[in-house]
Amino acid sequence: MLEEGVTPNSVTFLSLLAACSHSGLVSEGCNVFHSMKWRFSIEPDLDHYTCMVDLLGRAGKLKEALATIMKMMAFPDSRIWGALLAASRVHGHRKLGEYAAQQLLQLEPDNVGYHTLLSNVKASTGRWAEVEEVRRAMFGKDLKKQPGWSYIEENGHIHCFVSGDKSHNEVQDIYEFDVLNLMEELEILTMRRTYFGLLRTTLAVSY
């Protein structure tokens, strides 16, 4: 961009930071973040800081990730604490994970997902009494985790499904459908495609 005379903007740096985060390019991401402010005079916003926390967290630099949150001018939201919590769970940092979960609950005390995350953090270290406390708190607030839905569109009609749901008007046909047989057919088809793909590659190399 610079060679073409195009000046990067806030969105450009957000894309770069996200790319560095998913690629594990920690030093490159840090350089991008610092150049954003000091070279191009663009003040990082909460989205940029969230990317930085994600970048450092994925690399196991949890203390640096927490320091990034504490130093920023913007007020941290659930996304940035969620990124820190996810990294803490991956790298087994129990205390930091609990701290991030508590911050999430302060921001959204009625969010059942955050209660579940805190419960999982405690369960991962075998503290079942504390897990039960979290569940009792959820029960006391009548918090229930909403199940995930699946959607299929067929001939202009959208069919909705949830685990264990039997309210569909064609439920009998759905439950009689031979899923295992379909999976076997898909596996055979995949093997055939792999074989012919390798065969074409071999023939191309041979000639």
Side-chain angles (χ1 to χ4, degrees):
M1 289 181 65
L2 295 176
E3 290 179 358
E4 295 295 328
V6 179
T7 303
N9 57 21
S10 177
V11 177
T12 307
F13 285 102
L14 187 61
S15 301
L16 287 171
L17 289 172
C20 290
S21 176
H22 289 282
S23 303
L25 303 175
V26 179
S27 60
E28 291 84 350
C30 291
N31 289 335
V32 167
F33 185 78
H34 289 122
S35 66
M36 174 183 178
K37 181 174 182 179
W38 302 112
R39 182 180 175 186
F40 295 96
S41 301
I42 299 175
E43 191 67 32
D45 60 22
L46 192 54
D47 290 330
H48 299 99
Y49 280 106
T50 301
C51 279
M52 279 301 297
V53 170
D54 187 56
L55 169 69
L56 296 168
R58 286 172 183 264
K61 297 181 179 296
L62 300 177
K63 291 182 179 179
E64 291 86 342
L66 178 60
T68 299
I69 297 176
M70 296 304 181
K71 290 178 182 178
M72 67 184 195
M73 299 297 294
F75 187 79
D77 65 355
S78 58
R79 293 174 301 160
I80 200 165
W81 287 119
L84 183 62
L85 174 58
S88 300
R89 290 185 63 189
V90 169
H91 296 285
H93 201 302
R94 177 182 59 82
K95 289 184 177 180
L96 193 54
E98 287 187 15
Y99 178 73
Q102 293 291 354
Q103 297 303 313
L104 285 169
L105 288 176
Q106 288 183 18
L107 290 170
E108 299 182 31
D110 294 330
N111 189 314
V112 64
Y114 296 155
H115 281 83
T116 304
L117 285 172
L118 179 59
S119 175
N120 292 340
V121 169
K122 294 180 181 295
S124 65
T125 55
R127 292 179 297 160
W128 303 111
E130 296 180 26
V131 170
E132 189 59 30
E133 288 180 10
V134 175
R135 291 179 177 173
R136 279 200 299 268
M138 293 172 64
F139 181 78
K141 294 182 177 181
D142 195 27
L143 300 178
K144 296 180 181 179
K145 188 175 182 181
Q146 296 297 320
W149 288 80
S150 298
Y151 299 87
I152 299 175
E153 183 177 356
E154 184 235 355
N155 295 329
H157 297 283
I158 297 178
H159 302 270
C160 304
F161 301 91
V162 68
S163 178
D165 179 35
K166 294 187 178 181
S167 62
H168 196 277
N169 55 8
E170 297 180 32
V171 63
Q172 191 68 30
D173 295 333
I174 293 171
Y175 275 84
E176 288 179 357
F177 188 75
D178 193 347
V179 177
L180 292 177
N181 185 48
L182 176 62
M183 291 177 65
E184 290 178 0
E185 291 181 5
L186 288 173
E187 186 175 354
I188 293 172
L189 179 61
T190 301
M191 291 175 64
R192 286 177 178 173
R193 292 183 64 182
T194 302
Y195 170 75
F196 285 114
L198 291 173
L199 182 61
R200 292 193 189 96
T201 303
T202 304
L203 291 174
V205 172
S206 299
Y207 290 99

